[in-house]
Amino acid sequence: MLPATTQKIVSVIATVLLMIFILGLSRSISGGLAGFWGGLPFMVIAIFILALAIIQCWQEAFRKKD
C-alpha cells in the first residue's frame, strides 16, 4: 500500500490523464466525419465514465477511511 500523500498524487495524475484522453477522443470523433450529432452518444457516455472516474478517485484517495 502506498503512503497517503503518494496515493493522492498518483490518483489525481491518473484521473487527469484519463480525462485528457477521453475528452480528446470525444472531440476527435465529433469533429471528424461523424459530426456533432454522430459523436453525441459517445460524448454522453464519455461524460458518464469521467464522472465515475472522478468519484472513484475521490473515494480511494480523499475520503476519510475508518
Side-chain angles (χ1 to χ4, degrees), residues 22-65:
I22 296 294
L23 291 175
L25 188 61
S26 176
R27 186 170 188 268
S28 173
I29 289 172
S30 296
L33 287 175
F36 176 77
W37 294 109
L40 186 62
F42 181 79
M43 278 193 276
V44 170
I45 293 168
I47 290 169
F48 179 71
I49 296 300
L50 290 177
L52 290 175
I54 292 168
I55 291 169
Q56 183 67 27
C57 174
W58 177 261
Q59 288 179 347
E60 288 295 322
F62 297 98
R63 192 179 74 187
K64 194 173 198 177
K65 296 182 175 119

